[in-house]
Amino acid sequence: MILTGKARIAGVMGWPVSHSRSPRLHGFWLERYGIDGAYVPFAIRPEDVEAALRALPKLGFAGTNVTVPHKETLLRLVDDVDPVARRIGAVNTVVVGADGSLSGSNTDAFGFLEHLRASAPGWSPAAGPAVILGAGGAARAVCAALADAGVGEIRILNRTRERADAVASLAPGVASSFDWRERGAALGGAALLVNTTTLGMAGQAPLELDLADLPTTAVVDDIVYVPLETELLRAARARGNVVVDGLGMLLHQARPGFAAWFGVEPQVDDALRDFLLADLTR
Ligand code: ATR
């Protein structure tokens, strides 16, 4: 990578940041499109995030992604928050304006929906109820995305019921919460099942879920991407459900930031997936 004096610079702020796949992902696109720019990891301690953020315009940076543990803090630090980020309660993308102002957005809902539509073209918001397992930041993004897309009924199930209630309140009249132990029965008549918990992830406990009540026409989406084919997706595929893996959400959520910072609409395709997968399986 050779930069000129006009290079555009962006990055990702996290603590730690070493696990982030984003530098590799954006680096692939920068090389593919021959862009005079760079995307770098910023290891920023929580107590330094405000100073680091304020430095971006002074350094002439185009913007940044933010990841754990800064996503919620950024809501109150940026000058302008888009309505989706406000609703989800987290910012993951910051764009520096021409006047040096900082605009925060959340591209997780966009990334989730774009990947779902690309991987399961037969699914539509009108297909029927959606079931979401989990109630963390990812569940909030998925719930907002599905409600905004027009899904009429969303069932949220989480080990800690109060957190499920909080996610359901994002979509009044559409989303409702249920006890975690009802997760098998909640699959009855569903058109979409989304796992946003960490269960089934490498090194975590398995997701114990009886799929018997889930129609075989339902789409099963697991946002876990290590392993790429989780036990949930394997079991769902075996009984005939269309399955959607978690890697695509990561790839698609990166598109709006890249376009804003570097001026090119990047494409998600198999070459990009394979490039990221080579890293995940190492
Ligand atoms: P993120 O913000 O990335 O979505 P998170 O806030 O850590 O992640 O959420 C992890 C999710 O996995 C939560 O819904 C969590 O349930 P709780 O809200 O009850 O903590 C869920 N989870 C993690 N371990 C679990 C377990 N052993 N059984 C059931 N749910 C679990």
Side-chain angles (χ1 to χ4, degrees), residues 1 25-37 258 275:
M1 174 186 65
L25 164 51
H26 286 272
F28 179 92
W29 280 333
L30 287 167
E31 197 166 299
R32 170 184 278 178
Y33 300 113
I35 290 171
D36 182 19
F258 189 92
F275 181 71

Side-chain angles (χ1 to χ4, degrees), residues 34 46 59 99 182:
L59 291 166
D99 58 354
E182 296 177 86

Side-chain angles (χ1 to χ4, degrees), residues 130-143:
V131 176
I132 300 175
L133 303 179
R140 296 178 69 84
V142 169
C143 182

Side-chain angles (χ1 to χ4, degrees), residues 29-97:
W29 280 333
L30 287 167
E31 197 166 299
R32 170 184 278 178
Y33 300 113
I35 290 171
D36 182 19
Y39 182 103
V40 292
F42 301 119
I44 309 288
R45 293 172 191 276
E47 59 269 32
D48 293 330
V49 73
E50 180 162 13
L53 199 68
R54 293 284 156 220
L56 290 176
K58 296 184 190 179
L59 291 166
F61 284 14
T64 188
N65 281 131
V66 282
T67 185
V68 180
H70 305 316
K71 288 183 171 195
E72 290 79 19
T73 320
L74 263 281
L75 267 189
R76 58 179 178 77
L77 295 182
V78 294
D79 301 307
D80 177 61
V81 178
D82 89 340
V84 177
R86 172 85 54 210
R87 188 145 158 244
I88 295 171
V91 163
N92 73 349
T93 304
V94 176
V95 176
V96 178

Side-chain angles (χ1 to χ4, degrees), residues 163-239:
R163 295 188 81 204
D165 297 341
V167 178
S169 71
L170 292 177
V174 171
S176 43
S177 67
F178 297 87
D179 271 354
W180 183 238
R181 62 173 183 275
E182 296 177 86
R183 61 194 182 281
L187 303 177
L192 175 65
L193 165 64
V194 188
N195 175 45
T196 74
T197 73
T198 48
L199 299 172
M201 193 183 284
Q204 303 288 325
L207 170 62
E208 283 164 18
L209 180 63
D210 183 353
L211 296 179
D213 287 347
L214 183 71
T216 52
T217 50
V219 173
V220 178
D221 187 329
D222 197 336
I223 72 160
V224 168
Y225 57 85
V226 181
L228 193 60
E229 180 162 272
T230 58
E231 184 56 31
L232 170 64
L233 295 188
R234 192 203 57 71
R237 191 196 301 276
R239 64 198 289 283

